């Protein structure tokens, strides 16, 4: 059971921070990760939903500094938040910090606990439309003046490096919906004519 006071604190002090991040990491994104994390937690009785909820809420807060180290900065933020000591002991605080640090898709190690695996899996919500659109949005935020050719090349390179067979994306929970969704996405990435068509439509929509 998640204490109402904790929910109120997170909803008023933590979630609003996402309003300052890019479209791919906005308030809608963190809410989706929270919802997906709590759904996954139901499959793992050993997972305490208080921790699951809080980890998901803090997982991208480090974007206030930069993207490259945001997972580590998010860990620092959750560890330094003394308000959380109303609901968690020091051992739980350490578990939450580790889980937040371990959530990054390009991480070179397996998450250290079930909590890290849950938030990592929830953050990898593989929905073909959302994944492709977020990739377009991120490129436009980074280089809004570049032409469509440049953006497609960046878009394609990112998808190949992360989602194609052999890419760095790792799925840690066999019970999640992501494995089947990843196959669907990979079939689109492999069909470059279809991929270019989808990219062009999304690129035009996002530029408006």
């Amino acid at each position: 059971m998640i204490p109402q006071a904790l929910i109120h604190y997170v909803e008023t002090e933590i979630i609003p921070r996402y309003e300052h991040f890019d479209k791919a990491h906005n308030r809608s994104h963190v809410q989706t990760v929270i919802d997906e994390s709590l759904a996954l937690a139901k499959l793992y009785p050993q997972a305490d939903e208080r921790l699951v909820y809080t980890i998901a809420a803090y997982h991208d807060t480090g974007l206030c500094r930069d993207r490259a180290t945001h997972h580590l900065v998010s860990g620092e933020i959750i560890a330094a938040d003394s308000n959380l000591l109303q609901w968690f002991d020091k051992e739980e605080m350490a578990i939450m910090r580790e889980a937040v640090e371990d959530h990054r898709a390009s991480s070179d190690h397996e998450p250290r606990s079930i909590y890290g695996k849950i938030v990592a899996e929830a953050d990898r919500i593989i929905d073909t439309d959302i994944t492709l659109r977020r990739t377009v949005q991120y490129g436009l935020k980074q280089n809004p003046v570049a032409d469509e050719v440049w953006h497609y090349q960046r878009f394609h390179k990112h998808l190949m490096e992360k989602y194609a067979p052999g890419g760095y994306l790792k799925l840690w929970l066999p019970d999640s919906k992501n494995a089947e969704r990843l196959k669907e996405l990979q079939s689109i990435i492999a069909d470059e004519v279809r991929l270019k068509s989808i990219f062009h439509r999304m690129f035009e929509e996002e530029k408006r």
Side-chain angles (χ1 to χ4, degrees), residues 24 130-140 154-156 158-159 163:
I130 292 172
T131 299
L132 297 177
R133 190 171 294 278
R134 280 179 61 176
T135 306
V136 172
Q137 288 170 344
Y138 182 73
L140 281 166
R154 191 211 68 84
F155 170 85
H156 185 263
H158 172 73
L159 293 174
Y163 297 104

Side-chain angles (χ1 to χ4, degrees), residues 162-182:
K162 184 172 182 178
Y163 297 104
Y168 67 75
L169 179 79
K170 301 289 187 295
L171 301 180
W172 303 114
L173 297 178
D175 299 313
S176 81
K177 304 168 190 169
N178 281 333
E180 205 55 45
R181 291 172 179 169
L182 182 59

Side-chain angles (χ1 to χ4, degrees), residues 56-93:
Y58 281 78
H59 82 283
D60 274 344
T61 50
L63 287 168
C64 63
R65 190 177 303 173
D66 63 37
R67 186 174 174 85
T69 63
H70 82 277
H71 54 303
L72 301 176
V73 178
S74 298
E76 292 171 9
I77 289 169
I78 197 168
D81 192 342
S82 59
N83 290 299
L84 294 176
L85 295 172
Q86 298 172 64
W87 304 289
F88 304 101
D89 61 31
K90 288 185 178 179
E91 184 179 345
E92 290 169 332
M93 292 287 286

